[in-house]
Amino acid sequence: MLARVDFSKLTLMDALDLAILIEIEALQRYTLFAEQTGRRLSSDTGSVFQSMADNEKKHRDQLVERRLALFADKPPMVKLDDIFDVEAPDVGAPRRNMSQLKAFQLALASEKKAFAFYDEALPSVKQPDVKALFEELRDEEVEHIHMIETIIAKLPPSAAIDLEDEDAE
C-alpha cells in the first residue's frame, strides 16, 4: 500500500479527498474484477466482486456528500496518483473460476489493508479533525471486516469449491 502524502500536513478537506480516492480506487478494481471473472450466477465470484464494488461506491458517495457540504466545489489538492493499493485488492488476485469463498477472502484482505492504512497513518496526523476522520474511517473498516467475516461464516461448504470452467470442454 502506498500513499505519497504527508499526513502531518493534511487538512480535513485533503483527508476527505484522500478517503474518496481510496474508495474510488477500490471501486474501480472491484468493477474490473467483476468484469474479468464474469457473472453467471447470483452467488459466483463476479457477483461477489460486484457487491463489493457497490459497497465501495456507497461509501464513496457518503464521503463525497460530506466533502461537498463542508467545502463545496473547492478543487482537491490530493490526486489518485498520490495513492496506490490502499484498499483495492491486488490487481492479479482474481481468477475467472475462483470460488466464492476465495473472492470473499480477497475482499477481507482488502478491508484489513484499509484498516492498517488508517491505523498506521494516525500517529503522523497532527490536525484533530483529520485524526477524528481517520479514526472514524478506521473504525468503519472494522465494521466492513466483521461484515465480510459474518458472510464467510455463513457460506455453504460448496462456496469453497472453484467453479468449473465452462469453456474447458
Side-chain angles (χ1 to χ4, degrees):
M1 107 184 70
L2 173 69
R4 296 180 303 191
V5 176
D6 184 349
F7 296 110
S8 67
K9 295 181 181 175
L10 280 182
T11 65
L12 180 58
M13 185 182 84
D14 294 336
L16 281 165
D17 289 336
L18 180 66
I20 290 165
L21 291 172
I22 289 168
E23 298 300 326
I24 288 171
E25 182 186 45
L27 167 62
Q28 291 172 343
R29 192 75 51 85
Y30 281 123
T31 300
L32 173 67
F33 289 178
E35 291 168 1
Q36 286 177 334
T37 58
R39 292 176 64 189
R40 296 174 293 237
L41 307 167
S42 63
S43 61
D44 63 13
T45 305
S47 296
V48 171
F49 291 139
Q50 187 58 56
S51 72
M52 291 306 298
D54 294 344
N55 286 339
E56 300 298 345
K57 181 183 182 310
K58 178 180 163 191
H59 199 211
R60 180 213 56 197
D61 291 348
Q62 292 168 342
L63 290 166
V64 166
E65 182 177 313
R66 187 171 174 181
R67 196 243 194 238
L68 286 172
L70 292 170
F71 303 105
D73 57 356
K74 189 173 179 184
M77 303 301 292
V78 183
K79 304 175 295 307
L80 195 54
D81 292 345
D82 292 329
I83 64 162
F84 181 71
D85 276 353
V86 173
E87 181 174 5
D90 297 332
V91 176
R95 290 187 337 276
R96 179 168 171 77
N97 300 317
M98 73 190 302
S99 71
Q100 187 182 22
L101 174 62
K102 288 177 186 169
F104 275 118
Q105 288 170 334
L106 178 64
L108 179 61
S110 296
E111 298 299 328
K112 287 180 178 181
K113 189 166 58 166
F115 169 87
F117 170 79
Y118 289 115
D119 195 53
E120 291 168 13
L122 274 167
S124 301
V125 173
K126 303 298 182 215
Q127 296 237 5
D129 52 356
V130 174
K131 187 175 279 287
L133 175 64
F134 274 26
E135 288 170 344
E136 175 188 331
L137 293 169
R138 179 196 59 193
D139 294 346
E140 285 181 8
E141 296 303 339
V142 171
E143 291 174 23
H144 299 164
I145 289 166
H146 290 309
M147 175 191 74
I148 295 171
E149 288 174 337
T150 300
I151 291 169
I152 289 172
K154 293 179 181 177
L155 288 174
S158 60
I161 301 169
D162 286 341
L163 301 173
E164 300 261 340
D165 190 350
E166 296 171 355
D167 300 330
E169 295 176 16

